Amino acid sequence: MVGDEGSLSEKEKAKIENLLKKRHKEVTSEREQENLHTEMQYHLLKIGKALGYQVISASNDRSRNFQGKNFSSLCLPCFPEINVEKETKNTIALIDVIWFENNTKNIVCAFEVEKSTSIYSGILRLTDLYHSFPENPSSLFLIIPDNREKELLLQLSRPSIKPESVKPAPTLSLSPPASTF
């Protein structure tokens, strides 16, 4: 039909126009969500570094940057050798941000940022990390927008995820406070 727009009725043209606008909105929203995800990762890397930890981002995100600041300038050059099977290490290396105790292989904190992607995949990566080091558990955080809290609670209530020792922390709203005026 490209190049033959004259043969379309006004109704068909309007329908195509609406579909194009809808797709443009979807692409714009996806891009905004990705930018928010990258920004959150960057802030977590900076905070960890400022607290004196060695930090690393997900293996597939190390080439990212936020406002011209490369993640690689904050991160360890490569993921440390940890005592787990190769497949498990590859999974753990996909966690969005990990803080290591300085000059050790001890993981202090791990963060998964789930703005629009599957919460379940983030939970599984964190669960793999949790079960890989039961003698030295890390603090694990799943960061989500307020509007995904019900989805998170639903996933955490699954029998395969719900061991007694893993309990959700209180939620912290990142929304700006309501005006008191």
Side-chain angles (χ1 to χ4, degrees), residues 120 123 151-163:
Y120 189 69
I123 292 170
E151 183 183 353
L152 171 64
L153 294 174
L154 179 68
Q155 292 299 328
L156 290 176
S157 69
R158 295 171 70 134
S160 60
I161 301 282
K162 192 180 171 180

Side-chain angles (χ1 to χ4, degrees), residues 61-103:
D61 291 340
R62 290 201 199 108
S63 62
R64 289 186 183 212
N65 71 72
F66 176 70
Q67 294 182 342
K69 297 170 185 120
N70 291 323
F71 284 12
S72 59
S73 66
L74 297 169
C75 293
L76 291 166
C78 62
F79 200 90
E81 285 303 318
I82 55 177
N83 192 23
V84 294
E85 293 180 21
K86 182 182 178 185
E87 295 79 20
T88 303
K89 179 185 174 191
N90 290 343
T91 299
I92 291 171
L94 289 173
I95 293 174
D96 287 321
V97 173
I98 298 177
W99 297 352
F100 289 89
E101 194 174 287
N102 209 11
N103 297 318

Side-chain angles (χ1 to χ4, degrees), residues 4 6 9 15 17 21 34 71 78 87 93 101-102 105 114 137 144 168 173 176:
D4 195 21
S9 69
K15 184 177 179 180
E17 186 112 357
K21 285 179 185 178
E34 187 62 32
F71 284 12
C78 62
E87 295 79 20
E101 194 174 287
N102 209 11
K105 298 174 187 177
E114 301 300 347
I144 59 166
S173 177

